[in-house]
Amino acid sequence: MSFASVAIIVACLVIMGSVSMIALNIDALIKDMETQNEVVAFVDEELDDAEAMAIEAAILQVPNVADAEFVNRQEAMDNFMSNYDEQLREGIDVEVFRHRYVLHLNDITKMAETKQGLENVPGVAKVNAHFDYAKAFISIRNIVSVISLILILVLVLVSIFIMTNTIKLATYGRREEIAIMKMVGAGNAFIRLPFIVEGLVLGLLGGGIAFLALWGLYELVTQKVLEVFTGSFLNVVPYTSVHVYVLGCFMAISVIVGVFGAVNAIRNYLKV
């Protein structure tokens, strides 16, 4: 039964940890996509090259602007030519294009305020900001966060219930020992202590094994995923960047469940 208790703890923690890592990677992917949601500030056509480049400092002073990349007319035309068919490129001259700044924001939820601030910068004629994309990213991020939180809470409750009942089953076989100790005068604290220590040890053992098992499983799965999506935009969160937090959470949950399960399991048997 001790082996079963440890196995249940390991299984529950690995499942809970896997869901947490998936949610963490989804959140990181969405944040990475958010940073790629660009805002373009077009420079007034009356400004020459030097004047257009001089307003960069004022643009960077606008709150929520993370960085600004100056793109001159020639670069804008070269980019257009590389993305469209030859028929659409006929008759297009470099003067058709404007100097511009390609911007990234710190927080896309403040895109409207940032757009207004950019439009107030002297020398900025127009600002293109994709509000629809920003709203979509925000909605996806919020939905993923809520679903992940609900799943994790449900798994925590289910794990605690399963692990506690498993420890109860392990204690059931010792009910006669507890009754004998109680009848010969042993106090509740004296009887309870060995079970608390045992629950603590089983919890720590299960938490440690679950931590290592999740690490190995995560590295294996992420390696296979990266092999399939080689060269794509997909990046995974390294386990080493969160392993301290995972270990701390696993140990805390295991100790709480082990000790609580042991105390709760022998409560009825102390009433002799």
Side-chain angles (χ1 to χ4, degrees):
M1 292 307 300
S2 296
F3 174 80
S5 300
V6 172
I8 291 295
I9 291 174
V10 171
C12 292
L13 288 178
V14 167
I15 294 173
M16 187 169 57
S18 299
V19 173
S20 301
M21 293 304 297
I22 292 173
L24 184 64
N25 276 279
I26 292 175
D27 185 63
L29 177 61
I30 292 174
K31 287 181 178 178
D32 183 60
M33 294 174 67
E34 286 177 352
T35 60
Q36 299 178 25
N37 191 14
E38 299 173 339
V39 175
V40 180
F42 293 96
V43 179
D44 194 328
E45 292 181 343
E46 298 180 358
L47 301 183
D48 58 26
D49 293 357
E51 292 172 333
M53 296 177 67
I55 67 173
E56 181 176 351
I59 290 176
L60 290 173
Q61 292 298 318
V62 176
N64 197 38
V65 174
D67 57 64
E69 179 186 358
F70 178 70
V71 179
N72 60 34
R73 289 187 178 94
Q74 185 62 48
E75 291 171 336
M77 188 180 78
D78 292 342
N79 183 56
F80 177 85
M81 295 298 185
S82 63
N83 290 326
Y84 291 92
D85 296 333
E86 186 176 351
Q87 294 178 350
L88 297 175
R89 295 181 296 185
E90 293 180 358
I92 294 180
D93 186 72
V94 69
E95 296 300 325
V96 174
F97 298 88
R98 289 183 180 182
H99 295 310
R100 65 198 64 187
Y101 283 90
V102 178
L103 313 173
H104 294 101
L105 309 183
N106 292 315
D107 186 359
I108 64 171
T109 60
K110 300 178 182 178
M111 183 176 288
E113 297 91 330
T114 307
K115 181 177 183 293
Q116 184 176 0
L118 290 169
E119 290 173 341
N120 294 330
V121 174
V124 174
K126 180 183 178 182
V127 178
N128 278 357
H130 301 289
F131 291 104
D132 294 337
Y133 294 152
K135 290 179 181 178
F137 283 133
I138 294 168
S139 299
I140 293 172
R141 183 179 62 185
N142 293 338
I143 292 172
V144 170
S145 299
V146 171
I147 292 176
S148 301
L149 181 60
I150 292 174
L151 283 175
I152 291 172
L153 288 176
V154 170
L155 284 170
V156 168
L157 294 176
V158 171
S159 300
I160 291 175
F161 175 78
I162 293 175
M163 288 185 283
T164 301
N165 281 278
T166 304
I167 295 174
K168 282 184 178 181
L169 290 175
T171 309
Y172 179 77
R174 303 181 186 177
R175 64 190 184 282
E176 295 181 358
E177 299 175 22
I178 297 174
I180 292 172
M181 294 173 67
K182 188 71 175 176
M183 287 187 289
V184 298
N188 290 343
F190 181 82
I191 299 173
R192 191 180 289 119
L193 182 60
F195 292 94
I196 293 176
V197 173
E198 182 179 358
L200 178 64
V201 171
L202 292 177
L204 290 174
L205 182 61
I209 296 174
F211 171 76
L212 296 175
L214 180 63
W215 193 339
L217 180 64
Y218 183 77
E219 292 293 336
L220 178 63
V221 172
T222 53
Q223 182 179 359
K224 296 296 183 182
V225 170
L226 291 177
E227 288 177 359
V228 173
F229 294 97
T230 302
S232 69
F233 63 89
L234 183 64
N235 293 312
V236 297
V237 177
Y239 191 82
T240 51
S241 65
V242 295
H243 72 285
V244 174
Y245 304 102
V246 174
L247 181 61
C249 291
F250 276 16
M251 289 295 130
I253 294 174
S254 299
V255 168
I256 291 173
V257 170
V259 173
F260 174 78
V263 172
N264 188 51
I266 66 172
R267 180 182 301 171
N268 294 330
Y269 304 132
L270 293 176
K271 301 175 182 179
V272 177

